[in-house]
Amino acid sequence: MRLIKEDGKQAGIVSLKEALTYARDVGLDLVEVAPNAKPPVCKVMDYGKYLYEQQKKQQEAKKKQVRIQVKEIKVRPKTDENDLQTKIRHIKRFLSGGDRCKVTVFFRGRELAHKEKGLEILERIAKDLEELAKIEQAPKFEGRTMFMLLSPLAKKK
């Protein structure tokens, strides 16, 4: 087997017995790095320390991950102008924070006869937010609700 010492230098091709003896003398572990190579490659290292460093790298990578949430705003077909402007401000805040936003229009009772009002509201919101967001999912009607999904535009660098 090919042996790599703890400092990264190659010790050449040695027998398993010699490699184990060397690792024991140095007080470290003998780890098989490439078992499919001809001859197999083994490295002398502190295996516990190696596992600890790998775990730390994974934790750092996980910290830097960005989780995108889907925020939801609910409106009704009879939502007044001022209330609608407030909801649009909330949506702008969500989008600028990097989150996606689901805008839902709820219909109750006879409001279902006027689905076009819900569509108008969703189109108006999309028009007001066209510089901040793109429509990820077009307005869609399911049961008593109509919704669309907005996602933030890619930031220009």
Side-chain angles (χ1 to χ4, degrees):
M1 75 175 51
R2 186 174 304 277
L3 181 66
I4 301 173
K5 293 184 176 181
E6 65 277 5
D7 56 3
K9 294 180 181 167
Q10 289 198 18
I13 297 173
V14 296
S15 69
L16 176 64
K17 203 176 232 181
E18 290 174 34
L20 284 170
T21 306
Y22 176 77
R24 205 172 295 121
D25 291 344
V26 181
L28 297 173
D29 303 312
L30 183 66
V31 180
E32 191 173 29
V33 180
N36 297 333
K38 298 284 185 212
V41 180
C42 292
K43 188 173 183 180
V44 177
M45 66 168 79
D46 185 353
Y47 191 63
K49 183 178 177 184
Y50 171 75
L51 288 178
Y52 174 77
E53 288 170 355
Q54 291 298 319
Q55 184 181 10
K56 284 294 177 191
K57 283 181 189 175
Q58 286 177 344
Q59 285 177 346
E60 277 300 312
K62 201 171 185 181
K63 270 187 199 174
K64 293 177 184 175
Q65 266 183 352
V66 177
R67 286 204 176 139
I68 297 174
Q69 291 183 323
V70 177
K71 304 282 190 170
E72 185 173 13
I73 293 288
K74 298 178 183 179
V75 293
R76 298 260 321 276
K78 294 183 177 179
T79 302
D80 201 33
E81 179 61 30
N82 292 332
D83 296 332
L84 196 59
Q85 290 303 320
T86 302
K87 303 268 186 188
I88 289 172
R89 278 198 305 275
H90 289 308
I91 295 170
K92 284 181 181 178
R93 190 180 72 221
F94 295 150
L95 292 170
S96 63
D99 295 324
R100 293 174 11 194
C101 190
K102 179 180 179 180
V103 184
T104 307
V105 180
F106 278 97
F107 295 93
R108 292 195 333 208
R110 293 183 188 154
E111 292 174 350
L112 273 171
H114 302 287
K115 295 177 184 175
E116 69 278 353
K117 285 194 175 193
L119 189 61
E120 286 174 17
I121 288 175
L122 292 179
E123 287 173 351
R124 166 123 184 271
I125 290 172
K127 185 178 147 269
D128 287 354
L129 297 169
E130 65 188 355
E131 71 276 352
L132 283 175
K134 65 176 185 261
I135 297 175
E136 192 170 308
Q137 186 175 6
K140 185 177 174 184
F141 200 82
E142 277 186 11
R144 296 183 157 271
T145 62
M146 183 182 288
F147 66 92
M148 76 175 168
L149 200 59
L150 300 171
S151 60
L153 289 174
K155 292 180 179 139
K156 294 172 185 148
K157 293 181 180 177

Short mmCIF file of all heavy atoms in Angstrom, two decimals, residues 51-81:
data_model
loop_
_atom_site.label_atom_id
_atom_site.label_comp_id
_atom_site.label_asym_id
_atom_site.label_seq_id
_atom_site.Cartn_x
_atom_site.Cartn_y
_atom_site.Cartn_z
N LEU A 51 -12.63 14.01 11.80
CA LEU A 51 -14.10 13.98 11.85
C LEU A 51 -14.65 15.27 12.46
O LEU A 51 -15.65 15.82 11.99
CB LEU A 51 -14.58 12.78 12.66
CG LEU A 51 -14.42 11.42 12.01
CD1 LEU A 51 -14.89 10.32 12.96
CD2 LEU A 51 -15.18 11.33 10.71
N TYR A 52 -13.98 15.78 13.50
CA TYR A 52 -14.41 17.02 14.15
C TYR A 52 -14.35 18.19 13.18
O TYR A 52 -15.28 19.00 13.09
CB TYR A 52 -13.52 17.28 15.37
CG TYR A 52 -13.77 18.60 16.05
CD1 TYR A 52 -14.88 18.76 16.88
CD2 TYR A 52 -12.93 19.67 15.87
CE1 TYR A 52 -15.13 19.97 17.51
CE2 TYR A 52 -13.16 20.89 16.49
CZ TYR A 52 -14.26 21.02 17.30
OH TYR A 52 -14.50 22.23 17.92
N GLU A 53 -13.26 18.29 12.40
CA GLU A 53 -13.12 19.37 11.42
C GLU A 53 -14.18 19.27 10.32
O GLU A 53 -14.73 20.28 9.89
CB GLU A 53 -11.73 19.35 10.81
CG GLU A 53 -10.65 19.82 11.77
CD GLU A 53 -9.24 19.59 11.27
OE1 GLU A 53 -9.07 18.97 10.19
OE2 GLU A 53 -8.31 20.03 11.95
N GLN A 54 -14.49 18.05 9.88
CA GLN A 54 -15.53 17.87 8.87
C GLN A 54 -16.89 18.33 9.40
O GLN A 54 -17.65 18.99 8.70
CB GLN A 54 -15.62 16.39 8.44
CG GLN A 54 -14.44 15.90 7.66
CD GLN A 54 -14.28 16.64 6.34
OE1 GLN A 54 -15.24 16.92 5.65
NE2 GLN A 54 -13.05 16.99 6.01
N GLN A 55 -17.17 18.01 10.65
CA GLN A 55 -18.43 18.41 11.27
C GLN A 55 -18.52 19.93 11.37
O GLN A 55 -19.56 20.52 11.10
CB GLN A 55 -18.53 17.78 12.66
CG GLN A 55 -19.84 18.04 13.37
CD GLN A 55 -19.86 17.41 14.75
OE1 GLN A 55 -18.86 16.95 15.26
NE2 GLN A 55 -21.02 17.43 15.37
N LYS A 56 -17.42 20.58 11.72
CA LYS A 56 -17.38 22.05 11.81
C LYS A 56 -17.62 22.69 10.45
O LYS A 56 -18.32 23.69 10.33
CB LYS A 56 -16.05 22.54 12.40
CG LYS A 56 -15.94 22.34 13.88
CD LYS A 56 -16.95 23.23 14.57
CE LYS A 56 -16.94 23.01 16.06
NZ LYS A 56 -18.07 23.66 16.72
N LYS A 57 -17.03 22.11 9.39
CA LYS A 57 -17.23 22.64 8.04
C LYS A 57 -18.69 22.54 7.63
O LYS A 57 -19.24 23.46 7.02
CB LYS A 57 -16.36 21.88 7.03
CG LYS A 57 -14.91 22.27 7.05
CD LYS A 57 -14.13 21.48 6.01
CE LYS A 57 -12.65 21.70 6.15
NZ LYS A 57 -11.88 20.86 5.23
N GLN A 58 -19.34 21.43 7.96
CA GLN A 58 -20.74 21.25 7.64
C GLN A 58 -21.61 22.26 8.38
O GLN A 58 -22.56 22.82 7.81
CB GLN A 58 -21.20 19.84 7.97
CG GLN A 58 -20.71 18.79 7.01
CD GLN A 58 -21.14 17.39 7.42
OE1 GLN A 58 -21.55 17.15 8.55
NE2 GLN A 58 -21.01 16.45 6.49
N GLN A 59 -21.29 22.53 9.63
CA GLN A 59 -22.05 23.50 10.41
C GLN A 59 -21.90 24.90 9.82
O GLN A 59 -22.86 25.65 9.74
CB GLN A 59 -21.59 23.51 11.86
CG GLN A 59 -22.08 22.33 12.66
CD GLN A 59 -21.55 22.31 14.08
OE1 GLN A 59 -20.61 23.03 14.42
NE2 GLN A 59 -22.14 21.47 14.92
N GLU A 60 -20.68 25.27 9.38
CA GLU A 60 -20.46 26.57 8.76
C GLU A 60 -21.25 26.70 7.47
O GLU A 60 -21.85 27.74 7.21
CB GLU A 60 -18.97 26.78 8.47
CG GLU A 60 -18.17 27.27 9.65
CD GLU A 60 -18.66 28.60 10.19
OE1 GLU A 60 -18.88 29.54 9.41
OE2 GLU A 60 -18.83 28.68 11.43
N ALA A 61 -21.26 25.65 6.66
CA ALA A 61 -22.01 25.67 5.40
C ALA A 61 -23.50 25.82 5.68
O ALA A 61 -24.20 26.53 4.96
CB ALA A 61 -21.74 24.41 4.60
N LYS A 62 -23.98 25.18 6.72
CA LYS A 62 -25.40 25.25 7.07
C LYS A 62 -25.77 26.65 7.54
O LYS A 62 -26.86 27.13 7.26
CB LYS A 62 -25.69 24.21 8.16
CG LYS A 62 -27.14 23.83 8.25
CD LYS A 62 -27.30 22.65 9.19
CE LYS A 62 -28.72 22.17 9.18
NZ LYS A 62 -28.95 21.07 10.09
N LYS A 63 -24.86 27.32 8.26
CA LYS A 63 -25.11 28.67 8.74
C LYS A 63 -25.30 29.64 7.59
O LYS A 63 -26.12 30.55 7.67
CB LYS A 63 -23.93 29.17 9.58
CG LYS A 63 -24.02 28.88 11.03
CD LYS A 63 -22.88 29.56 11.75
CE LYS A 63 -22.64 28.97 13.10
NZ LYS A 63 -21.45 29.52 13.74
N LYS A 64 -24.54 29.44 6.53
CA LYS A 64 -24.56 30.37 5.40
C LYS A 64 -25.73 30.13 4.46
O LYS A 64 -25.94 30.90 3.53
CB LYS A 64 -23.24 30.30 4.64
CG LYS A 64 -22.08 30.82 5.47
CD LYS A 64 -20.78 30.70 4.76
CE LYS A 64 -19.64 31.12 5.67
NZ LYS A 64 -18.36 30.91 5.07
N GLN A 65 -26.50 29.05 4.68
CA GLN A 65 -27.65 28.76 3.83
C GLN A 65 -28.74 29.79 4.07
O GLN A 65 -28.96 30.24 5.19
CB GLN A 65 -28.23 27.39 4.17
CG GLN A 65 -27.71 26.29 3.32
CD GLN A 65 -28.39 24.97 3.67
OE1 GLN A 65 -29.14 24.87 4.63
NE2 GLN A 65 -28.13 23.96 2.89
N VAL A 66 -29.43 30.16 3.00
CA VAL A 66 -30.54 31.10 3.11
C VAL A 66 -31.83 30.32 2.88
O VAL A 66 -31.99 29.66 1.86
CB VAL A 66 -30.41 32.23 2.05
CG1 VAL A 66 -31.61 33.15 2.12
CG2 VAL A 66 -29.12 32.99 2.26
N ARG A 67 -32.72 30.43 3.83
CA ARG A 67 -34.00 29.75 3.70
C ARG A 67 -35.03 30.76 3.20
O ARG A 67 -35.22 31.80 3.81
CB ARG A 67 -34.46 29.18 5.03
CG ARG A 67 -33.67 27.96 5.41
CD ARG A 67 -34.49 27.12 6.36
NE ARG A 67 -33.77 25.90 6.65
CZ ARG A 67 -33.70 25.36 7.84
NH1 ARG A 67 -34.31 25.90 8.85
NH2 ARG A 67 -33.02 24.24 8.01
N ILE A 68 -35.69 30.42 2.13
CA ILE A 68 -36.71 31.29 1.56
C ILE A 68 -38.07 30.83 2.09
O ILE A 68 -38.42 29.66 1.99
CB ILE A 68 -36.70 31.25 0.02
CG1 ILE A 68 -35.37 31.77 -0.48
CG2 ILE A 68 -37.85 32.04 -0.55
CD1 ILE A 68 -35.19 31.65 -1.97
N GLN A 69 -38.79 31.77 2.67
CA GLN A 69 -40.11 31.46 3.20
C GLN A 69 -41.17 31.95 2.23
O GLN A 69 -40.94 32.84 1.43
CB GLN A 69 -40.31 32.13 4.54
CG GLN A 69 -39.45 31.57 5.65
CD GLN A 69 -39.77 32.23 6.97
OE1 GLN A 69 -40.04 33.41 7.03
NE2 GLN A 69 -39.75 31.45 8.03
N VAL A 70 -42.36 31.37 2.35
CA VAL A 70 -43.50 31.84 1.58
C VAL A 70 -44.43 32.53 2.57
O VAL A 70 -44.98 31.89 3.47
CB VAL A 70 -44.23 30.68 0.86
CG1 VAL A 70 -45.45 31.21 0.13
CG2 VAL A 70 -43.30 29.99 -0.09
N LYS A 71 -44.56 33.85 2.44
CA LYS A 71 -45.47 34.62 3.29
C LYS A 71 -46.82 34.71 2.58
O LYS A 71 -46.87 34.67 1.35
CB LYS A 71 -44.92 36.04 3.48
CG LYS A 71 -43.52 36.10 4.04
CD LYS A 71 -43.51 35.86 5.51
CE LYS A 71 -42.13 36.15 6.08
NZ LYS A 71 -42.12 36.16 7.51
N GLU A 72 -47.89 34.84 3.34
CA GLU A 72 -49.21 34.87 2.72
C GLU A 72 -49.95 36.14 3.14
O GLU A 72 -49.96 36.51 4.30
CB GLU A 72 -50.02 33.64 3.12
CG GLU A 72 -51.35 33.56 2.41
CD GLU A 72 -52.10 32.27 2.67
OE1 GLU A 72 -51.71 31.52 3.58
OE2 GLU A 72 -53.08 32.01 1.96
N ILE A 73 -50.57 36.77 2.16
CA ILE A 73 -51.42 37.94 2.40
C ILE A 73 -52.82 37.55 1.94
O ILE A 73 -53.00 37.04 0.83
CB ILE A 73 -50.92 39.16 1.59
CG1 ILE A 73 -49.57 39.65 2.11
CG2 ILE A 73 -51.94 40.28 1.61
CD1 ILE A 73 -49.62 40.34 3.45
N LYS A 74 -53.82 37.81 2.79
CA LYS A 74 -55.20 37.46 2.46
C LYS A 74 -56.02 38.72 2.26
O LYS A 74 -55.93 39.65 3.08
CB LYS A 74 -55.80 36.62 3.59
CG LYS A 74 -55.09 35.31 3.82
CD LYS A 74 -55.69 34.55 4.97
CE LYS A 74 -54.91 33.27 5.22
NZ LYS A 74 -55.44 32.50 6.34
N VAL A 75 -56.79 38.76 1.19
CA VAL A 75 -57.69 39.87 0.93
C VAL A 75 -59.06 39.32 0.54
O VAL A 75 -59.20 38.12 0.29
CB VAL A 75 -57.17 40.80 -0.20
CG1 VAL A 75 -55.92 41.52 0.22
CG2 VAL A 75 -56.93 40.04 -1.48
N ARG A 76 -60.05 40.21 0.50
CA ARG A 76 -61.40 39.83 0.09
C ARG A 76 -61.76 40.68 -1.12
O ARG A 76 -61.18 41.74 -1.34
CB ARG A 76 -62.39 40.12 1.23
CG ARG A 76 -62.15 39.36 2.51
CD ARG A 76 -63.05 38.15 2.67
NE ARG A 76 -64.41 38.34 2.22
CZ ARG A 76 -65.38 38.88 2.93
NH1 ARG A 76 -65.14 39.32 4.14
NH2 ARG A 76 -66.59 38.99 2.42
N PRO A 77 -62.75 40.28 -1.91
CA PRO A 77 -63.14 41.07 -3.08
C PRO A 77 -63.60 42.48 -2.70
O PRO A 77 -63.47 43.40 -3.49
CB PRO A 77 -64.29 40.29 -3.70
CG PRO A 77 -64.16 38.92 -3.17
CD PRO A 77 -63.49 39.01 -1.84
N LYS A 78 -64.13 42.67 -1.51
CA LYS A 78 -64.62 43.98 -1.08
C LYS A 78 -63.58 44.78 -0.29
O LYS A 78 -63.93 45.77 0.35
CB LYS A 78 -65.88 43.80 -0.22
CG LYS A 78 -67.05 43.24 -1.00
CD LYS A 78 -68.26 43.16 -0.10
CE LYS A 78 -69.47 42.66 -0.87
NZ LYS A 78 -70.65 42.56 -0.03
N THR A 79 -62.31 44.36 -0.32
CA THR A 79 -61.27 45.07 0.42
C THR A 79 -61.16 46.49 -0.11
O THR A 79 -61.06 46.71 -1.31
CB THR A 79 -59.91 44.34 0.29
OG1 THR A 79 -60.06 43.01 0.78
CG2 THR A 79 -58.84 45.03 1.10
N ASP A 80 -61.18 47.46 0.81
CA ASP A 80 -61.16 48.87 0.44
C ASP A 80 -59.77 49.30 -0.03
O ASP A 80 -58.77 48.62 0.21
CB ASP A 80 -61.61 49.71 1.64
CG ASP A 80 -62.10 51.07 1.24
OD1 ASP A 80 -62.68 51.18 0.14
OD2 ASP A 80 -61.91 52.01 2.03
N GLU A 81 -59.70 50.47 -0.65
CA GLU A 81 -58.47 50.99 -1.25
C GLU A 81 -57.33 51.13 -0.23
O GLU A 81 -56.21 50.69 -0.46
CB GLU A 81 -58.75 52.34 -1.91
CG GLU A 81 -57.54 53.01 -2.54
CD GLU A 81 -56.93 52.18 -3.67
OE1 GLU A 81 -57.65 51.44 -4.35
OE2 GLU A 81 -55.70 52.29 -3.85
#
